[in-house]
């Protein structure tokens, strides 16, 4: 309450809405104080390892010299970006990264959805759990092991697949050094390794579908395909949209470790992507500021893709993620 000076005094009430909201917030914090404490480790992780390192993006606008230090290095503005855009390697990186991303969206993204739908049709719980456990295993295998298996299967020097091809067709294919086979090989590795793990979220969404809808559809004479088209897919449509939006944020991430293990001088023209180029320019050649600019450019493209996909999803009538 506020009192005015002078002979005539009157009171000005403090807005009740503000007081009510403040009290409500305090009550909620006190009520959920233990749950909020559980957030602290995760919050500390993101602050220390995600937000604090963001100061490093300033490196892209400097001519960083290790002996001078981060703050005393010369500020060059957008010179590193101009150098990258004028470099002939820019268009090669864009082409290779976008093509691998397109392959990923066309072949890899639908694979977990299809597999989850197929698993959902398995009625015997024992067989379903057994298959799930079997297809989850590759996710826990190191990419180094996956690359080694690929070499053992695809090499022309005693590789299993090439030996079979030699006996059946009389010739071998050098998959490991061929430019034409590099992208299919990378996508095949990704599907084999991560398809099973990707089914988890879709199986969870399918578990929430009302079974009475299927029973009603059967009464109406709908076959399996009709049930899939009119009940199953609409039920998990929101989950698919959310996963798609999040995946677009990694559209430019083509798996540094995977590509680095499979790249060689013969397939480099189609294998070199942003991640491997940043490693080569920054770590191998020591161009820290230049490689930081390349990495920042890739990150900005990822952010634009996320916001664009979310906008299109909301325009299409879906909720999006923000």
């Amino acid at each position: 309450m506020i009192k005015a000076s002078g002979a005539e005094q009157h009171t000005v009430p403090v807005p009740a809405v503000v007081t009510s909201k403040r009290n409500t917030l305090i009550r909620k914090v006190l009520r959920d104080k233990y749950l909020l404490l559980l957030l602290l480790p995760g919050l500390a992780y993101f602050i220390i390892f995600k937000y604090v390192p963001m100061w490093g993006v300033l490196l892209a606008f400097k001519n960083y010299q290790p002996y001078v230090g981060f703050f005393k290095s010369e500020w060059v503005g957008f010179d590193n970006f101009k150098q990258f855009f004028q470099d002939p390697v820019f268009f090669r990186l864009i082409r290779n990264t976008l093509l691998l991303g397109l392959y990923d969206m066309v072949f890899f993204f639908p694979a977990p959805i299809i597999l989850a739908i197929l698993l959902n049709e398995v009625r015997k719980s024992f067989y379903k759990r057994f298959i799930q456990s079997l297809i989850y295993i590759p996710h826990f295998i190191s990419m180094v092991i996956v690359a080694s298996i690929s070499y053992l299967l695809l090499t022309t020097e005693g590789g299993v697949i090439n030996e079979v091809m030699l006996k059946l067709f009389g010739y071998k294919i050098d998959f490991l050094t061929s430019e034409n086979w590099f992208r299919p090989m990378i996508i095949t590795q990704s599907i084999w390794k991560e398809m099973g793990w990707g089914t988890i979220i879709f199986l969870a969404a399918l578990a929430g579908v009302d079974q009475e809808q299927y029973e009603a559809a059967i009464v109406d004479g709908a076959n399996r395909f009709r049930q899939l088209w009119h009940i199953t897919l609409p039920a998990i449509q929101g989950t698919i949209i959310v996963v798609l939006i999040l995946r677009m944020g990694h559209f430019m991430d083509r798996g540094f470790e995977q590509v680095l293990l499979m790249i060689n001088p013969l397939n480099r023209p189609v294998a070199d992507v942003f991640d491997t180029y940043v490693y080569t320019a920054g770590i191998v050649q020591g161009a820290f500021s230049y490689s930081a600019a390349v990495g920042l450019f890739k990150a900005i493209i990822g952010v634009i893709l996320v916001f664009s996909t979310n906008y299109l999803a909301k325009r299409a009538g879906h909720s999006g993620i923000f």
Side-chain angles (χ1 to χ4, degrees):
M1 307 290 286
I2 302 174
K3 293 186 177 182
S5 60
E8 182 181 356
Q9 295 183 350
H10 63 276
T11 58
V12 180
V14 177
V17 176
V18 176
T19 305
S20 176
K21 287 183 177 180
R22 186 184 300 115
N23 294 335
T24 302
L25 178 61
I26 293 174
R27 284 198 300 269
K28 286 182 178 180
V29 170
L30 292 175
R31 183 192 63 192
D32 301 327
K33 55 182 178 295
Y34 296 113
L35 291 176
L36 293 174
L37 285 175
L38 294 176
L39 289 175
L40 290 181
L43 189 62
Y45 166 79
F46 278 99
I47 291 175
I48 296 172
F49 295 104
K50 300 296 182 180
Y51 288 100
V52 172
M54 288 180 67
W55 285 100
V57 301
L58 294 176
L59 200 68
F61 304 93
K62 290 174 169 283
N63 181 20
Y64 176 68
Q65 302 294 335
Y67 58 86
V68 176
F70 179 83
F71 293 102
K72 294 184 179 180
S73 294
E74 179 187 3
W75 182 272
V76 296
F78 291 95
D79 288 353
N80 292 315
F81 294 91
K82 293 178 183 178
Q83 180 184 351
F84 175 56
F85 296 149
Q86 295 171 358
D87 195 324
V89 77
F90 171 74
F91 294 101
R92 188 181 76 188
L93 296 178
I94 287 288
R95 182 188 70 245
N96 294 343
T97 306
L98 292 182
L99 281 176
L100 278 176
L102 182 62
Y103 276 46
D104 181 90
M105 297 305 299
V106 172
F107 297 104
F108 175 71
F109 180 74
I113 303 173
I114 297 171
L115 182 58
I117 292 173
L118 293 175
L119 283 173
N120 192 56
E121 296 296 321
V122 178
R123 300 308 176 192
K124 296 289 185 180
S125 60
F126 171 78
Y127 295 117
K128 185 176 182 179
R129 291 196 301 269
F130 175 76
I131 295 172
Q132 284 179 269
S133 301
L134 198 64
I135 62 178
Y136 291 165
I137 292 175
H139 170 77
F140 300 98
I141 298 177
S142 168
M143 186 53 70
V144 176
I145 304 299
V146 175
S148 300
I149 294 173
S150 300
Y151 274 98
L152 291 174
L153 291 175
L154 301 176
T155 180
T156 55
E157 303 297 329
V160 176
I161 293 178
N162 269 311
E163 290 300 322
V164 172
M165 290 189 60
L166 181 63
K167 292 183 181 300
L168 293 178
F169 306 108
Y171 61 88
K172 298 181 180 181
I173 298 178
D174 197 352
F175 296 99
L176 299 175
T177 59
S178 172
E179 294 185 5
N180 296 328
W181 284 99
F182 176 79
R183 296 187 186 106
M185 181 172 57
I186 292 294
I187 298 302
T188 302
Q189 287 178 344
S190 299
I191 292 175
W192 178 79
K193 189 175 188 298
E194 300 295 343
M195 179 176 64
W197 188 255
T199 61
I200 294 177
I201 187 171
F202 298 110
L203 285 172
L206 288 170
V209 180
D210 187 1
Q211 296 301 312
E212 292 183 359
Q213 297 185 32
Y214 291 107
E215 296 172 1
I218 293 173
V219 172
D220 291 338
N223 56 26
R224 285 288 189 184
F225 178 78
R226 289 295 181 183
Q227 295 175 38
L228 168 67
W229 187 258
H230 295 289
I231 299 176
T232 305
L233 288 179
I236 64 173
Q237 189 178 54
T239 304
I240 294 174
I241 295 297
V242 170
V243 173
L244 174 63
I245 294 172
L246 294 175
R247 190 157 190 83
M248 290 303 294
H250 298 280
F251 187 86
M252 303 295 285
D253 297 332
R254 291 297 95 216
F256 162 74
E257 184 181 11
Q258 180 184 13
V259 176
L260 185 67
L261 290 169
M262 302 307 299
I263 199 171
N264 57 64
L266 295 178
N267 62 20
R268 183 173 292 275
V270 298
D272 218 4
V273 294
F274 279 95
D275 295 320
T276 56
Y277 185 71
V278 168
Y279 167 76
T280 303
I283 304 301
V284 178
Q285 300 177 359
F288 300 108
S289 294
Y290 178 74
S291 61
V294 177
L296 181 58
F297 171 78
K298 188 198 75 170
I300 292 173
I301 297 298
V303 172
I304 293 173
L305 288 174
V306 169
F307 277 87
S308 301
T309 309
N310 186 76
Y311 171 77
L312 293 176
K314 297 182 75 172
R315 286 294 300 270
H318 303 286
S319 58
I321 59 174
F322 51 83

PDB file of all heavy atoms in Angstrom, residues 207-221:
ATOM      1  N   ALA A 207       2.876 -47.973 -28.561  1.00  0.00           N
ATOM      2  CA  ALA A 207       2.275 -48.593 -27.368  1.00  0.00           C
ATOM      3  C   ALA A 207       1.109 -47.763 -26.840  1.00  0.00           C
ATOM      4  O   ALA A 207       0.261 -48.297 -26.111  1.00  0.00           O
ATOM      5  CB  ALA A 207       3.334 -48.757 -26.286  1.00  0.00           C
ATOM      6  N   GLY A 208       1.066 -46.490 -27.187  1.00  0.00           N
ATOM      7  CA  GLY A 208      -0.009 -45.630 -26.713  1.00  0.00           C
ATOM      8  C   GLY A 208      -1.220 -45.578 -27.619  1.00  0.00           C
ATOM      9  O   GLY A 208      -2.181 -44.851 -27.328  1.00  0.00           O
ATOM     10  N   VAL A 209      -1.207 -46.305 -28.716  1.00  0.00           N
ATOM     11  CA  VAL A 209      -2.344 -46.306 -29.634  1.00  0.00           C
ATOM     12  C   VAL A 209      -3.500 -47.085 -29.000  1.00  0.00           C
ATOM     13  O   VAL A 209      -3.308 -48.198 -28.486  1.00  0.00           O
ATOM     14  CB  VAL A 209      -1.962 -46.929 -30.995  1.00  0.00           C
ATOM     15  CG1 VAL A 209      -3.155 -46.918 -31.934  1.00  0.00           C
ATOM     16  CG2 VAL A 209      -0.788 -46.172 -31.602  1.00  0.00           C
ATOM     17  N   ASP A 210      -4.690 -46.509 -29.056  1.00  0.00           N
ATOM     18  CA  ASP A 210      -5.876 -47.147 -28.480  1.00  0.00           C
ATOM     19  C   ASP A 210      -6.219 -48.404 -29.272  1.00  0.00           C
ATOM     20  O   ASP A 210      -6.512 -48.335 -30.471  1.00  0.00           O
ATOM     21  CB  ASP A 210      -7.045 -46.160 -28.503  1.00  0.00           C
ATOM     22  CG  ASP A 210      -8.264 -46.691 -27.760  1.00  0.00           C
ATOM     23  OD1 ASP A 210      -8.180 -47.812 -27.218  1.00  0.00           O
ATOM     24  OD2 ASP A 210      -9.291 -45.989 -27.733  1.00  0.00           O
ATOM     25  N   GLN A 211      -6.207 -49.562 -28.593  1.00  0.00           N
ATOM     26  CA  GLN A 211      -6.469 -50.837 -29.268  1.00  0.00           C
ATOM     27  C   GLN A 211      -7.920 -50.957 -29.712  1.00  0.00           C
ATOM     28  O   GLN A 211      -8.226 -51.737 -30.621  1.00  0.00           O
ATOM     29  CB  GLN A 211      -6.112 -51.996 -28.330  1.00  0.00           C
ATOM     30  CG  GLN A 211      -4.644 -52.061 -27.963  1.00  0.00           C
ATOM     31  CD  GLN A 211      -3.743 -52.213 -29.177  1.00  0.00           C
ATOM     32  OE1 GLN A 211      -3.989 -53.049 -30.044  1.00  0.00           O
ATOM     33  NE2 GLN A 211      -2.696 -51.397 -29.237  1.00  0.00           N
ATOM     34  N   GLU A 212      -8.804 -50.181 -29.085  1.00  0.00           N
ATOM     35  CA  GLU A 212     -10.207 -50.239 -29.493  1.00  0.00           C
ATOM     36  C   GLU A 212     -10.409 -49.732 -30.913  1.00  0.00           C
ATOM     37  O   GLU A 212     -11.354 -50.132 -31.589  1.00  0.00           O
ATOM     38  CB  GLU A 212     -11.053 -49.432 -28.514  1.00  0.00           C
ATOM     39  CG  GLU A 212     -11.135 -50.035 -27.115  1.00  0.00           C
ATOM     40  CD  GLU A 212     -12.035 -49.238 -26.212  1.00  0.00           C
ATOM     41  OE1 GLU A 212     -12.575 -48.209 -26.670  1.00  0.00           O
ATOM     42  OE2 GLU A 212     -12.224 -49.643 -25.045  1.00  0.00           O
ATOM     43  N   GLN A 213      -9.520 -48.848 -31.348  1.00  0.00           N
ATOM     44  CA  GLN A 213      -9.618 -48.364 -32.724  1.00  0.00           C
ATOM     45  C   GLN A 213      -9.366 -49.498 -33.713  1.00  0.00           C
ATOM     46  O   GLN A 213     -10.042 -49.595 -34.745  1.00  0.00           O
ATOM     47  CB  GLN A 213      -8.613 -47.238 -32.954  1.00  0.00           C
ATOM     48  CG  GLN A 213      -8.863 -46.004 -32.108  1.00  0.00           C
ATOM     49  CD  GLN A 213      -7.925 -44.869 -32.457  1.00  0.00           C
ATOM     50  OE1 GLN A 213      -7.518 -44.718 -33.617  1.00  0.00           O
ATOM     51  NE2 GLN A 213      -7.566 -44.064 -31.471  1.00  0.00           N
ATOM     52  N   TYR A 214      -8.391 -50.361 -33.400  1.00  0.00           N
ATOM     53  CA  TYR A 214      -8.134 -51.510 -34.267  1.00  0.00           C
ATOM     54  C   TYR A 214      -9.322 -52.475 -34.257  1.00  0.00           C
ATOM     55  O   TYR A 214      -9.705 -53.010 -35.308  1.00  0.00           O
ATOM     56  CB  TYR A 214      -6.868 -52.238 -33.808  1.00  0.00           C
ATOM     57  CG  TYR A 214      -5.596 -51.466 -34.033  1.00  0.00           C
ATOM     58  CD1 TYR A 214      -4.912 -50.897 -32.972  1.00  0.00           C
ATOM     59  CD2 TYR A 214      -5.072 -51.309 -35.314  1.00  0.00           C
ATOM     60  CE1 TYR A 214      -3.735 -50.189 -33.168  1.00  0.00           C
ATOM     61  CE2 TYR A 214      -3.898 -50.601 -35.521  1.00  0.00           C
ATOM     62  CZ  TYR A 214      -3.236 -50.045 -34.444  1.00  0.00           C
ATOM     63  OH  TYR A 214      -2.077 -49.336 -34.650  1.00  0.00           O
ATOM     64  N   GLU A 215      -9.896 -52.679 -33.091  1.00  0.00           N
ATOM     65  CA  GLU A 215     -11.043 -53.584 -32.998  1.00  0.00           C
ATOM     66  C   GLU A 215     -12.224 -53.051 -33.803  1.00  0.00           C
ATOM     67  O   GLU A 215     -12.909 -53.820 -34.500  1.00  0.00           O
ATOM     68  CB  GLU A 215     -11.430 -53.767 -31.534  1.00  0.00           C
ATOM     69  CG  GLU A 215     -10.353 -54.455 -30.698  1.00  0.00           C
ATOM     70  CD  GLU A 215     -10.675 -54.453 -29.221  1.00  0.00           C
ATOM     71  OE1 GLU A 215     -11.760 -53.928 -28.863  1.00  0.00           O
ATOM     72  OE2 GLU A 215      -9.863 -54.961 -28.425  1.00  0.00           O
ATOM     73  N   ALA A 216     -12.441 -51.730 -33.708  1.00  0.00           N
ATOM     74  CA  ALA A 216     -13.521 -51.126 -34.492  1.00  0.00           C
ATOM     75  C   ALA A 216     -13.241 -51.219 -35.989  1.00  0.00           C
ATOM     76  O   ALA A 216     -14.153 -51.454 -36.791  1.00  0.00           O
ATOM     77  CB  ALA A 216     -13.710 -49.672 -34.075  1.00  0.00           C
ATOM     78  N   ALA A 217     -11.967 -51.047 -36.361  1.00  0.00           N
ATOM     79  CA  ALA A 217     -11.601 -51.143 -37.779  1.00  0.00           C
ATOM     80  C   ALA A 217     -11.805 -52.557 -38.310  1.00  0.00           C
ATOM     81  O   ALA A 217     -12.255 -52.749 -39.446  1.00  0.00           O
ATOM     82  CB  ALA A 217     -10.149 -50.707 -37.972  1.00  0.00           C
ATOM     83  N   ILE A 218     -11.487 -53.556 -37.472  1.00  0.00           N
ATOM     84  CA  ILE A 218     -11.694 -54.956 -37.890  1.00  0.00           C
ATOM     85  C   ILE A 218     -13.176 -55.235 -38.090  1.00  0.00           C
ATOM     86  O   ILE A 218     -13.583 -55.905 -39.051  1.00  0.00           O
ATOM     87  CB  ILE A 218     -11.084 -55.904 -36.840  1.00  0.00           C
ATOM     88  CG1 ILE A 218      -9.561 -55.757 -36.824  1.00  0.00           C
ATOM     89  CG2 ILE A 218     -11.465 -57.359 -37.146  1.00  0.00           C
ATOM     90  CD1 ILE A 218      -8.887 -56.519 -35.706  1.00  0.00           C
ATOM     91  N   VAL A 219     -14.009 -54.711 -37.187  1.00  0.00           N
ATOM     92  CA  VAL A 219     -15.453 -54.882 -37.322  1.00  0.00           C
ATOM     93  C   VAL A 219     -15.955 -54.257 -38.620  1.00  0.00           C
ATOM     94  O   VAL A 219     -16.848 -54.790 -39.288  1.00  0.00           O
ATOM     95  CB  VAL A 219     -16.180 -54.273 -36.102  1.00  0.00           C
ATOM     96  CG1 VAL A 219     -17.687 -54.267 -36.311  1.00  0.00           C
ATOM     97  CG2 VAL A 219     -15.822 -55.040 -34.832  1.00  0.00           C
ATOM     98  N   ASP A 220     -15.357 -53.123 -38.980  1.00  0.00           N
ATOM     99  CA  ASP A 220     -15.757 -52.439 -40.219  1.00  0.00           C
ATOM    100  C   ASP A 220     -15.168 -53.090 -41.466  1.00  0.00           C
ATOM    101  O   ASP A 220     -15.414 -52.622 -42.587  1.00  0.00           O
ATOM    102  CB  ASP A 220     -15.328 -50.975 -40.173  1.00  0.00           C
ATOM    103  CG  ASP A 220     -16.122 -50.181 -39.143  1.00  0.00           C
ATOM    104  OD1 ASP A 220     -17.234 -50.634 -38.792  1.00  0.00           O
ATOM    105  OD2 ASP A 220     -15.629 -49.126 -38.687  1.00  0.00           O
ATOM    106  N   GLY A 221     -14.342 -54.120 -41.281  1.00  0.00           N
ATOM    107  CA  GLY A 221     -13.796 -54.857 -42.417  1.00  0.00           C
ATOM    108  C   GLY A 221     -12.479 -54.329 -42.943  1.00  0.00           C
ATOM    109  O   GLY A 221     -12.068 -54.675 -44.054  1.00  0.00           O
TER     110      GLY A 221
END
